[in-house]
């Protein structure tokens, strides 16, 4: 820990990610956000590690649990939150909502279908090969995605073609209500990389430094040789979505993990006990981040939703008017 500025920035980013999602939670309670909302509270260290290894020109295809990946990719907080709150100032004009974030300029996209981000990232990687540049495509998926057929097809094709693809699996131990131990034929997901003749590594996803180094190794391999896989272990603190009764996990398990394995709390203690940042500095940093998020939330709440007359914009049906007898 010989770089205080790096560690301060890491902690600040992780706190900002946590506050951002907590602000989104208020939109569910107030019914400003409709439908399901999936948060990644407890998985901030992985996203912060991603942020350290993504270049501006790289592409990132994410999942339904995507807010932190968007922040890691450099999506500005205001249009990001505005889209989640379905406002016309959002990334997609409020038409996409939280599961369909899209930023063409920053090469960021998401999908609500489990495992569907993998072939999207594969396409980015293939395009880079055709262009002849050294950009990398990131596919960030959950542990449930690896049992979908698209995972095998993507990994095999990426390896055959030697594409610059990095697959980061956030193994939070639960695929909706199914525990990882009941769904995987292998003890580790990283070991599946052997079947595709690519490097695979499992890392403690609560440790931002270890995760950043693991992703860094995968990126270096991708830029020079071909695909690589990182399995980052973590835990889903909240239900699958907001409103999920979450009765399939024992309360003792949830209490134990959320009180002893919180990456933000662990890093805070590490910085304080290691003499990197004192208590006053930590509190000041947290207050500044909270004020920043509060300001974004207030701005978003003052914005309008898209006009109802535009409800059929951006759907395939609008392009078929007059073409169907």
């Amino acid at each position: 820990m010989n770089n205080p500025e790096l560690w301060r920035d890491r902690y600040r980013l992780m706190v900002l990610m946590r506050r951002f999602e907590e602000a989104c939670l208020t939109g569910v309670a107030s019914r400003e956000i409709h439908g399901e909302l999936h948060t990644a509270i407890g998985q901030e260290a992985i996203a912060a590690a991603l942020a350290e290894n993504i270049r501006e020109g790289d592409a990132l295809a994410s999942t339904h649990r995507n807010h932190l990946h968007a922040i890691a990719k450099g999506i500005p907080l205001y249009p990001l939150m505005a889209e989640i709150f379905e406002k016309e100032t959002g990334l997609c004009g409020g038409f996409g909502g939280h599961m369909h974030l899209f930023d063409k300029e920053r090469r960021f996209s998401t999908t609500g279908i489990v495992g569907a981000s993998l072939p999207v990232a594969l396409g980015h990687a293939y395009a880079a090969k055709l262009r002849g540049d050294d950009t990398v495509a990131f596919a960030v998926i959950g542990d449930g995605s690896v049992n979908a057929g698209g995972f095998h097809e993507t990994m095999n094709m990426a390896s055959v073609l030697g594409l610059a693809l990095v697959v980061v699996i956030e193994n939070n131990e639960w695929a909706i209500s199914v525990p990882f131990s009941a769904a995987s034929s292998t003890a580790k997901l990283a070991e599946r990389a052997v079947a595709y003749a690519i490097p695979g590594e499992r890392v403690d996803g609560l440790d931002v430094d270890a995760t950043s180094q693991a992703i860094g190794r995968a990126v270096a391999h991708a830029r020079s040789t071909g695909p690589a896989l990182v399995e980052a272990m973590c835990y889903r603190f909240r239900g699958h979505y907001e409103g999920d009764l979450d009765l399939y996990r024992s309360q003792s398990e949830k209490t134990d993990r959320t009180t002893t394995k919180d990456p933000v709390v662990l890093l805070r203690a590490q910085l304080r006990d290691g003499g990197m940042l004192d208590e006053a500095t930590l509190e000041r940093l947290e207050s500044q981040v909270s004020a920043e998020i509060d300001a974004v939330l207030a701005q978003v709440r003052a914005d309008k939703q898209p006009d109802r007359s535009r409800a059929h914009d951006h759907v395939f049906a609008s392009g078929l008017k007059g073409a169907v007898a």
Side-chain angles (χ1 to χ4, degrees):
M1 300 180 73
N2 56 359
N3 188 338
E5 187 173 342
L6 170 65
W7 285 97
R8 185 191 60 212
D9 290 347
R10 283 174 168 173
Y11 183 65
R12 184 188 184 285
L13 180 57
M14 288 169 62
V15 172
L16 183 141
M17 290 173 168
R18 177 68 60 87
R19 297 288 181 271
F20 183 92
E21 293 215 295
E22 289 173 344
C24 292
L25 293 180
T26 68
V28 177
S30 62
R31 299 186 178 182
E32 294 168 279
I33 297 175
H34 304 89
E36 296 183 353
L37 183 81
H38 310 80
T39 68
I41 292 176
Q43 303 177 196
E44 292 85 354
I46 303 170
L50 271 168
E52 293 179 359
N53 289 284
I54 299 178
R55 291 181 184 172
E56 186 175 348
D58 294 338
L60 194 160
S62 180
T63 71
H64 55 281
R65 204 174 303 284
N66 53 47
H67 305 159
L68 308 190
H69 308 147
I71 296 173
K73 191 63 181 72
I75 308 297
L77 299 179
Y78 171 50
L80 175 61
M81 188 182 290
E83 186 60 41
I84 296 167
F85 274 72
E86 308 158 25
K87 298 301 180 74
E88 64 180 7
T89 49
L91 275 178
C92 306
F95 285 87
H98 109 93
M99 280 207 289
H100 304 102
L101 303 175
F102 178 70
D103 189 322
K104 180 179 178 181
E105 180 183 350
R106 295 178 179 81
R107 311 190 75 198
F108 177 81
S109 63
T110 68
T111 172
I113 301 173
V114 172
S117 57
L118 284 156
V120 175
L122 181 73
H124 279 294
Y126 187 53
K129 184 180 182 70
L130 294 177
R131 290 193 304 267
D133 63 37
D134 68 343
T135 58
V136 167
F138 291 80
V140 187
I141 59 175
D143 49 286
S145 298
V146 300
N147 299 318
F151 175 79
H152 165 70
E153 296 169 11
T154 295
M155 301 310 298
N156 183 62
M157 188 173 292
S159 182
V160 167
L161 298 176
L163 302 182
L165 175 70
V166 172
V167 176
V168 177
I169 305 169
E170 294 180 311
N171 188 344
N172 64 23
E173 302 184 22
W174 287 90
I176 305 182
S177 58
V178 179
F180 171 69
S181 58
S184 177
S185 60
T186 54
K188 297 180 180 179
L189 297 176
E191 66 187 88
R192 298 193 187 188
V194 175
Y196 307 106
I198 67 173
E201 181 176 357
R202 173 182 272 195
V203 66
D204 179 1
L206 306 182
D207 185 330
V208 62
D209 190 55
T211 306
S212 181
Q213 291 184 40
I215 294 175
R217 286 189 287 272
V219 170
H221 181 82
R223 292 197 199 281
S224 63
T225 308
L229 183 154
V230 175
E231 176 189 15
M233 300 304 298
C234 53
Y235 189 72
R236 197 187 72 206
F237 277 23
R238 302 187 68 85
H240 172 60
Y241 64 93
E242 294 308 308
D244 177 9
L245 293 177
D246 198 5
L247 300 177
Y248 40 83
R249 301 187 288 187
S250 70
Q251 188 57 50
S252 61
E253 174 187 311
K254 288 185 283 188
T255 300
D256 175 64
R257 300 298 292 274
T258 56
T259 55
T260 65
K261 301 295 183 183
D262 186 326
V264 177
V265 174
L266 290 173
L267 181 56
R268 191 186 199 283
Q270 186 180 2
L271 295 176
R272 182 195 59 213
D273 297 345
M276 191 69 67
L277 296 175
D278 59 32
E279 191 68 28
T281 301
L282 287 163
E283 291 183 3
R284 184 168 60 252
L285 183 152
E286 291 160 5
S287 296
Q288 291 170 347
V289 169
S290 295
E292 180 181 352
I293 294 298
D294 287 346
V296 172
L297 179 61
Q299 188 176 5
V300 165
R301 282 185 157 150
D303 292 343
K304 298 178 181 177
Q305 287 185 304
D307 191 277
R308 292 188 177 189
S309 65
R310 300 184 59 204
H312 290 170
D313 288 357
H314 314 300
V315 297
F316 287 114
S318 64
L320 297 176
K321 289 178 180 177
V324 179

Coordinates of all heavy atoms in Angstrom, one line a residue, residues 229-299:
L229 N -10.2 -15.5 -18.8 CA -11.4 -15.5 -17.9 C -11.0 -15.2 -16.5 O -10.0 -15.7 -16.0 CB -12.1 -16.9 -18.0 CG -13.4 -17.2 -17.3 CD1 -14.1 -18.3 -18.0 CD2 -13.1 -17.6 -15.9
V230 N -11.8 -14.4 -15.8 CA -11.6 -14.1 -14.4 C -12.9 -14.4 -13.6 O -13.9 -13.9 -14.0 CB -11.1 -12.7 -14.1 CG1 -11.0 -12.4 -12.6 CG2 -9.8 -12.4 -14.8
E231 N -12.8 -15.2 -12.6 CA -13.9 -15.5 -11.7 C -13.7 -14.8 -10.4 O -12.8 -15.1 -9.6 CB -14.1 -17.0 -11.5 CG -15.2 -17.3 -10.5 CD -15.2 -18.8 -10.1 OE1 -14.2 -19.5 -10.3 OE2 -16.2 -19.3 -9.5
A232 N -14.5 -13.8 -10.1 CA -14.4 -13.0 -8.9 C -15.5 -13.3 -7.9 O -16.7 -13.2 -8.2 CB -14.5 -11.5 -9.2
M233 N -15.0 -13.9 -6.8 CA -16.0 -14.3 -5.7 C -16.5 -13.2 -4.9 O -15.8 -12.3 -4.5 CB -15.3 -15.3 -4.8 CG -14.8 -16.6 -5.5 SD -16.0 -17.5 -6.5 CE -17.1 -17.9 -5.1
C234 N -17.8 -13.2 -4.7 CA -18.5 -12.1 -4.0 C -19.8 -12.6 -3.4 O -20.0 -13.9 -3.4 CB -18.7 -10.9 -4.9 SG -19.6 -11.2 -6.4
Y235 N -20.7 -11.8 -3.0 CA -22.0 -12.2 -2.4 C -23.0 -11.2 -2.7 O -22.7 -10.0 -2.6 CB -21.8 -12.4 -0.9 CG -23.0 -13.0 -0.3 CD1 -23.3 -14.4 -0.5 CD2 -23.9 -12.3 0.5 CE1 -24.4 -15.0 0.1 CE2 -25.0 -12.9 1.1 CZ -25.3 -14.3 0.9 OH -26.3 -14.9 1.5
R236 N -24.2 -11.6 -3.1 CA -25.3 -10.7 -3.4 C -25.9 -10.3 -2.1 O -26.6 -11.1 -1.5 CB -26.3 -11.4 -4.4 CG -27.2 -10.5 -5.1 CD -28.2 -11.2 -5.9 NE -29.2 -11.9 -5.0 CZ -29.9 -13.0 -5.3 NH1 -29.7 -13.6 -6.4 NH2 -30.8 -13.5 -4.4
F237 N -25.8 -9.0 -1.7 CA -26.3 -8.6 -0.4 C -27.8 -8.5 -0.4 O -28.4 -8.8 0.6 CB -25.7 -7.2 -0.1 CG -24.3 -7.3 0.5 CD1 -23.5 -8.3 0.3 CD2 -23.9 -6.2 1.3 CE1 -22.2 -8.4 0.9 CE2 -22.6 -6.3 1.9 CZ -21.8 -7.4 1.7
R238 N -28.4 -8.1 -1.5 CA -29.9 -8.0 -1.5 C -30.5 -9.1 -2.3 O -29.8 -9.9 -2.9 CB -30.2 -6.6 -2.1 CG -29.6 -5.4 -1.3 CD -30.1 -4.1 -1.8 NE -31.5 -3.9 -1.5 CZ -31.9 -3.4 -0.3 NH1 -31.1 -3.1 0.7 NH2 -33.2 -3.2 -0.1
G239 N -31.9 -9.1 -2.4 CA -32.5 -10.1 -3.1 C -32.2 -10.0 -4.6 O -31.5 -9.1 -5.0
H240 N -32.7 -11.0 -5.4 CA -32.4 -10.9 -6.8 C -32.8 -9.6 -7.4 O -32.1 -9.0 -8.3 CB -33.1 -12.1 -7.6 CG -33.1 -12.0 -9.0 ND1 -31.9 -12.0 -9.7 CD2 -34.0 -11.9 -10.0 CE1 -32.1 -11.9 -11.0 NE2 -33.4 -11.8 -11.2
Y241 N -34.0 -9.1 -7.0 CA -34.4 -7.7 -7.4 C -35.1 -7.1 -6.2 O -35.4 -7.8 -5.2 CB -35.4 -7.8 -8.6 CG -36.7 -8.6 -8.2 CD1 -37.8 -7.9 -7.8 CD2 -36.7 -10.0 -8.3 CE1 -39.0 -8.6 -7.4 CE2 -37.9 -10.7 -8.0 CZ -39.0 -10.0 -7.5 OH -40.1 -10.7 -7.2
E242 N -35.3 -5.8 -6.2 CA -36.0 -5.1 -5.1 C -37.5 -5.6 -5.1 O -38.2 -5.4 -6.1 CB -35.9 -3.6 -5.3 CG -34.5 -3.1 -5.2 CD -33.8 -3.6 -3.9 OE1 -34.3 -3.5 -2.8 OE2 -32.7 -4.2 -4.0
G243 N -37.9 -6.1 -4.0 CA -39.2 -6.7 -3.9 C -39.2 -8.2 -3.8 O -40.1 -8.8 -3.3
D244 N -38.0 -8.8 -4.1 CA -37.8 -10.2 -3.9 C -37.9 -10.6 -2.4 O -37.2 -10.0 -1.6 CB -36.4 -10.6 -4.5 CG -36.1 -12.1 -4.3 OD1 -37.0 -12.8 -3.8 OD2 -34.9 -12.5 -4.6
L245 N -38.7 -11.5 -2.0 CA -38.9 -11.8 -0.6 C -37.6 -12.5 0.0 O -37.4 -12.5 1.2 CB -40.1 -12.7 -0.4 CG -41.4 -12.1 -0.6 CD1 -42.6 -13.1 -0.4 CD2 -41.7 -10.9 0.3
D246 N -36.8 -13.1 -0.9 CA -35.5 -13.6 -0.5 C -35.6 -14.6 0.6 O -34.8 -14.6 1.6 CB -34.6 -12.4 -0.2 CG -33.1 -12.8 -0.2 OD1 -32.8 -13.9 -0.6 OD2 -32.3 -12.0 0.2
L247 N -36.5 -15.5 0.5 CA -36.8 -16.5 1.6 C -36.0 -17.8 1.3 O -36.0 -18.7 2.2 CB -38.3 -16.9 1.7 CG -39.2 -15.7 2.0 CD1 -40.6 -16.1 2.0 CD2 -38.8 -15.1 3.3
Y248 N -35.3 -17.9 0.2 CA -34.5 -19.1 -0.1 C -33.1 -19.1 0.5 O -32.4 -20.1 0.5 CB -34.4 -19.2 -1.6 CG -34.1 -17.9 -2.3 CD1 -32.8 -17.4 -2.4 CD2 -35.1 -17.1 -2.9 CE1 -32.6 -16.2 -3.0 CE2 -34.9 -15.9 -3.5 CZ -33.6 -15.4 -3.5 OH -33.4 -14.2 -4.1
R249 N -32.7 -18.0 1.2 CA -31.5 -17.9 1.9 C -31.8 -17.8 3.4 O -32.7 -17.1 3.8 CB -30.6 -16.8 1.5 CG -30.2 -16.8 0.0 CD -29.2 -15.7 -0.4 NE -29.8 -14.4 -0.3 CZ -29.2 -13.3 -0.7 NH1 -27.9 -13.4 -1.2 NH2 -29.7 -12.1 -0.7
S250 N -31.0 -18.4 4.2 CA -31.2 -18.3 5.7 C -30.8 -16.9 6.1 O -29.9 -16.3 5.6 CB -30.4 -19.3 6.4 OG -29.0 -19.0 6.4
Q251 N -31.5 -16.4 7.1 CA -31.2 -15.0 7.7 C -29.8 -15.0 8.3 O -29.0 -14.1 8.2 CB -32.2 -14.6 8.7 CG -32.0 -13.2 9.2 CD -32.1 -12.2 8.0 OE1 -33.0 -12.2 7.2 NE2 -31.1 -11.3 7.9
S252 N -29.4 -16.2 8.9 CA -28.1 -16.2 9.5 C -27.0 -16.1 8.4 O -25.9 -15.5 8.6 CB -27.9 -17.5 10.2 OG -28.0 -18.7 9.4
E253 N -27.2 -16.7 7.2 CA -26.2 -16.6 6.2 C -26.1 -15.2 5.7 O -25.0 -14.6 5.6 CB -26.6 -17.5 5.0 CG -25.7 -17.3 3.8 CD -26.2 -18.0 2.5 OE1 -26.5 -19.2 2.6 OE2 -26.2 -17.4 1.4
K254 N -27.2 -14.5 5.5 CA -27.2 -13.1 5.0 C -26.6 -12.2 6.0 O -25.8 -11.3 5.7 CB -28.6 -12.7 4.7 CG -29.2 -13.3 3.4 CD -30.6 -12.8 3.0 CE -31.6 -13.4 3.9 NZ -33.0 -13.0 3.4
T255 N -26.9 -12.4 7.3 CA -26.4 -11.5 8.3 C -24.9 -11.7 8.5 O -24.1 -10.7 8.6 CB -27.0 -11.8 9.7 OG1 -28.5 -11.6 9.6 CG2 -26.5 -10.9 10.8
D256 N -24.4 -12.9 8.4 CA -23.0 -13.2 8.5 C -22.2 -12.6 7.4 O -21.2 -11.9 7.6 CB -22.7 -14.7 8.5 CG -21.3 -15.0 8.5 OD1 -20.6 -14.7 9.5 OD2 -20.8 -15.6 7.6
R257 N -22.7 -12.7 6.2 CA -22.0 -12.3 5.0 C -22.0 -10.7 4.9 O -21.0 -10.1 4.5 CB -22.5 -12.9 3.7 CG -22.4 -14.4 3.7 CD -21.0 -14.9 3.8 NE -20.3 -14.6 2.6 CZ -20.3 -15.4 1.5 NH1 -21.0 -16.5 1.5 NH2 -19.6 -15.0 0.4
T258 N -23.1 -10.1 5.2 CA -23.2 -8.7 5.0 C -22.5 -7.9 6.1 O -22.1 -6.8 5.9 CB -24.7 -8.2 5.0 OG1 -25.4 -8.7 6.1 CG2 -25.4 -8.8 3.7
T259 N -22.3 -8.6 7.3 CA -21.7 -7.9 8.4 C -20.2 -8.1 8.4 O -19.4 -7.4 9.0 CB -22.3 -8.3 9.7 OG1 -22.2 -9.7 9.9 CG2 -23.7 -7.8 9.8
T260 N -19.7 -9.2 7.8 CA -18.3 -9.5 7.9 C -17.6 -9.5 6.5 O -16.4 -9.5 6.5 CB -18.1 -10.9 8.5 OG1 -18.6 -11.9 7.6 CG2 -18.8 -11.1 9.8
K261 N -18.3 -9.4 5.4 CA -17.7 -9.5 4.1 C -18.1 -8.4 3.2 O -18.3 -8.5 2.0 CB -18.1 -10.9 3.4 CG -17.7 -12.1 4.2 CD -16.2 -12.2 4.3 CE -15.8 -13.5 5.0 NZ -14.3 -13.7 5.2
D262 N -18.3 -7.2 3.8 CA -18.7 -6.0 3.0 C -17.4 -5.4 2.5 O -16.5 -4.9 3.3 CB -19.4 -5.0 3.9 CG -19.9 -3.8 3.1 OD1 -19.2 -3.4 2.1 OD2 -21.0 -3.3 3.5
P263 N -17.2 -5.4 1.1 CA -15.9 -4.9 0.6 C -15.6 -3.4 0.9 O -14.5 -3.0 1.1 CB -16.1 -5.1 -0.9 CG -17.6 -5.1 -1.1 CD -18.1 -5.8 0.1
V264 N -16.7 -2.6 1.1 CA -16.5 -1.2 1.4 C -16.0 -1.1 2.8 O -15.1 -0.3 3.2 CB -17.8 -0.4 1.2 CG1 -17.6 1.1 1.6 CG2 -18.2 -0.5 -0.3
V265 N -16.7 -1.8 3.7 CA -16.3 -1.8 5.1 C -14.9 -2.3 5.4 O -14.1 -1.8 6.1 CB -17.3 -2.5 6.0 CG1 -16.9 -2.6 7.4 CG2 -18.7 -1.9 5.9
L266 N -14.6 -3.4 4.7 CA -13.3 -4.0 4.8 C -12.2 -3.1 4.3 O -11.1 -3.0 5.0 CB -13.2 -5.3 4.0 CG -14.1 -6.5 4.5 CD1 -14.1 -7.7 3.5 CD2 -13.6 -7.0 5.9
L267 N -12.4 -2.4 3.2 CA -11.3 -1.5 2.7 C -11.2 -0.3 3.6 O -10.1 0.1 3.9 CB -11.7 -1.1 1.3 CG -10.7 -0.1 0.6 CD1 -9.3 -0.7 0.6 CD2 -11.1 0.3 -0.8
R268 N -12.3 0.2 4.2 CA -12.2 1.3 5.1 C -11.4 0.9 6.3 O -10.5 1.7 6.7 CB -13.6 1.7 5.6 CG -13.7 3.0 6.3 CD -15.1 3.2 6.8 NE -15.4 4.6 7.2 CZ -15.0 5.2 8.3 NH1 -14.2 4.5 9.1 NH2 -15.3 6.5 8.5
A269 N -11.6 -0.2 6.9 CA -10.8 -0.7 8.0 C -9.4 -0.9 7.6 O -8.5 -0.5 8.4 CB -11.4 -2.0 8.6
Q270 N -9.1 -1.4 6.5 CA -7.8 -1.6 6.0 C -7.0 -0.3 5.9 O -5.8 -0.2 6.3 CB -7.8 -2.3 4.6 CG -6.4 -2.7 4.1 CD -6.6 -3.4 2.7 OE1 -7.7 -3.5 2.2 NE2 -5.5 -3.8 2.2
L271 N -7.7 0.7 5.3 CA -7.0 2.0 5.2 C -6.8 2.7 6.5 O -5.7 3.3 6.7 CB -7.9 2.9 4.3 CG -8.1 2.4 2.8 CD1 -9.0 3.4 2.1 CD2 -6.7 2.4 2.1
R272 N -7.8 2.6 7.4 CA -7.6 3.3 8.7 C -6.6 2.5 9.6 O -5.7 3.2 10.1 CB -9.0 3.2 9.4 CG -9.0 3.9 10.8 CD -10.3 3.5 11.5 NE -10.3 2.1 11.7 CZ -11.5 1.4 11.7 NH1 -12.6 2.0 11.6 NH2 -11.4 0.1 11.9
D273 N -6.7 1.2 9.7 CA -5.8 0.5 10.5 C -4.4 0.5 10.0 O -3.4 0.4 10.8 CB -6.3 -1.0 10.7 CG -7.6 -1.0 11.4 OD1 -8.0 0.0 12.0 OD2 -8.3 -2.1 11.3
G274 N -4.2 0.6 8.7 CA -2.9 0.6 8.1 C -2.3 2.0 8.1 O -1.1 2.2 7.6
G275 N -3.0 3.0 8.6 CA -2.5 4.3 8.7 C -2.5 5.1 7.4 O -1.9 6.2 7.3
M276 N -3.2 4.6 6.4 CA -3.3 5.2 5.1 C -4.2 6.5 5.2 O -3.8 7.6 4.6 CB -3.8 4.3 4.1 CG -3.7 4.7 2.6 SD -2.0 4.8 2.1 CE -1.6 3.0 2.1
L277 N -5.3 6.4 5.8 CA -6.3 7.5 5.9 C -6.8 7.5 7.3 O -7.2 6.5 7.9 CB -7.4 7.4 4.9 CG -7.1 7.5 3.4 CD1 -8.3 7.2 2.6 CD2 -6.5 8.8 3.1
D278 N -6.8 8.7 8.0 CA -7.4 8.7 9.3 C -8.9 8.9 9.3 O -9.5 9.1 8.2 CB -6.8 9.9 10.1 CG -7.0 11.2 9.5 OD1 -8.0 11.4 8.8 OD2 -6.1 12.1 9.6
E279 N -9.5 8.7 10.4 CA -11.0 8.7 10.5 C -11.6 10.0 10.0 O -12.6 9.9 9.3 CB -11.4 8.5 12.0 CG -12.8 8.2 12.2 CD -13.3 6.8 11.6 OE1 -12.4 5.9 11.6 OE2 -14.4 6.7 11.2
A280 N -11.0 11.1 10.3 CA -11.6 12.4 9.9 C -11.5 12.5 8.3 O -12.5 13.0 7.7 CB -10.8 13.5 10.5
T281 N -10.5 12.0 7.7 CA -10.3 12.1 6.3 C -11.4 11.2 5.6 O -12.0 11.5 4.6 CB -8.9 11.7 5.9 OG1 -8.0 12.6 6.5 CG2 -8.8 11.7 4.3
L282 N -11.5 10.0 6.2 CA -12.5 9.0 5.7 C -13.9 9.6 5.7 O -14.7 9.5 4.7 CB -12.4 7.7 6.4 CG -11.2 6.8 6.2 CD1 -11.0 5.8 7.3 CD2 -11.3 6.2 4.8
E283 N -14.3 10.2 6.9 CA -15.6 10.8 7.0 C -15.8 11.9 6.1 O -16.9 12.1 5.5 CB -15.8 11.2 8.5 CG -15.9 10.0 9.4 CD -16.2 10.4 10.8 OE1 -16.4 11.6 11.1 OE2 -16.3 9.5 11.7
R284 N -14.8 12.7 5.9 CA -14.9 13.9 5.0 C -15.1 13.4 3.5 O -15.9 13.9 2.8 CB -13.7 14.8 5.1 CG -13.7 16.0 4.2 CD -12.6 17.0 4.5 NE -11.3 16.5 4.3 CZ -10.5 16.1 5.3 NH1 -10.9 16.3 6.6 NH2 -9.3 15.6 5.1
L285 N -14.4 12.4 3.1 CA -14.5 11.8 1.8 C -15.9 11.2 1.6 O -16.5 11.5 0.5 CB -13.4 10.7 1.6 CG -13.3 10.0 0.3 CD1 -11.9 9.6 0.0 CD2 -14.3 8.8 0.2
E286 N -16.4 10.5 2.6 CA -17.7 9.9 2.5 C -18.8 11.0 2.4 O -19.8 10.9 1.6 CB -18.0 9.0 3.7 CG -17.1 7.8 3.6 CD -17.0 7.1 5.0 OE1 -17.6 7.6 6.0 OE2 -16.2 6.1 5.1
S287 N -18.6 12.1 3.2 CA -19.6 13.2 3.1 C -19.6 13.9 1.8 O -20.7 14.2 1.2 CB -19.3 14.2 4.2 OG -19.4 13.6 5.5
Q288 N -18.5 14.0 1.2 CA -18.4 14.7 -0.1 C -19.1 13.8 -1.2 O -19.8 14.3 -2.1 CB -16.9 14.9 -0.5 CG -16.2 16.0 0.3 CD -14.7 16.0 0.1 OE1 -14.1 15.1 -0.5 NE2 -14.0 17.0 0.6
V289 N -18.8 12.5 -1.1 CA -19.5 11.6 -2.1 C -21.0 11.6 -1.9 O -21.8 11.7 -2.9 CB -18.9 10.2 -1.9 CG1 -19.8 9.2 -2.7 CG2 -17.5 10.1 -2.4
S290 N -21.4 11.5 -0.7 CA -22.9 11.6 -0.4 C -23.5 12.8 -0.9 O -24.6 12.8 -1.5 CB -23.1 11.4 1.1 OG -22.7 10.2 1.6
A291 N -22.9 14.0 -0.8 CA -23.4 15.2 -1.3 C -23.5 15.2 -2.8 O -24.4 15.7 -3.4 CB -22.5 16.4 -0.8
E292 N -22.5 14.6 -3.4 CA -22.4 14.6 -4.9 C -23.6 13.7 -5.4 O -24.3 14.1 -6.3 CB -21.1 13.9 -5.4 CG -21.0 13.8 -6.9 CD -19.7 13.2 -7.3 OE1 -18.8 13.0 -6.5 OE2 -19.6 12.9 -8.5
I293 N -23.9 12.6 -4.8 CA -25.0 11.7 -5.2 C -26.3 12.4 -4.9 O -27.3 12.3 -5.7 CB -24.9 10.4 -4.5 CG1 -23.6 9.6 -5.0 CG2 -26.1 9.5 -4.8 CD1 -23.6 9.3 -6.5
D294 N -26.4 13.0 -3.7 CA -27.7 13.7 -3.4 C -28.0 14.8 -4.4 O -29.2 15.0 -4.8 CB -27.5 14.4 -2.0 CG -27.6 13.3 -0.9 OD1 -27.9 12.2 -1.1 OD2 -27.2 13.7 0.3
A295 N -27.0 15.5 -4.9 CA -27.2 16.6 -5.9 C -27.7 15.9 -7.2 O -28.6 16.5 -7.9 CB -25.9 17.3 -6.1
V296 N -27.1 14.8 -7.6 CA -27.5 14.2 -8.8 C -29.0 13.7 -8.7 O -29.8 13.9 -9.6 CB -26.6 13.0 -9.2 CG1 -27.1 12.2 -10.3 CG2 -25.2 13.5 -9.5
L297 N -29.3 13.1 -7.6 CA -30.6 12.6 -7.3 C -31.7 13.7 -7.4 O -32.7 13.6 -8.0 CB -30.7 11.8 -6.0 CG -32.0 11.3 -5.6 CD1 -32.5 10.2 -6.6 CD2 -32.0 10.7 -4.2
A298 N -31.3 14.8 -6.8 CA -32.3 16.0 -6.8 C -32.5 16.5 -8.2 O -33.6 16.8 -8.6 CB -31.7 17.1 -5.9
Q299 N -31.4 16.5 -9.0 CA -31.5 17.0 -10.3 C -32.4 16.0 -11.2 O -33.2 16.5 -11.9 CB -30.1 17.1 -10.9 CG -30.1 17.8 -12.3 CD -28.7 17.9 -12.8 OE1 -27.7 17.5 -12.2 NE2 -28.5 18.6 -14.0

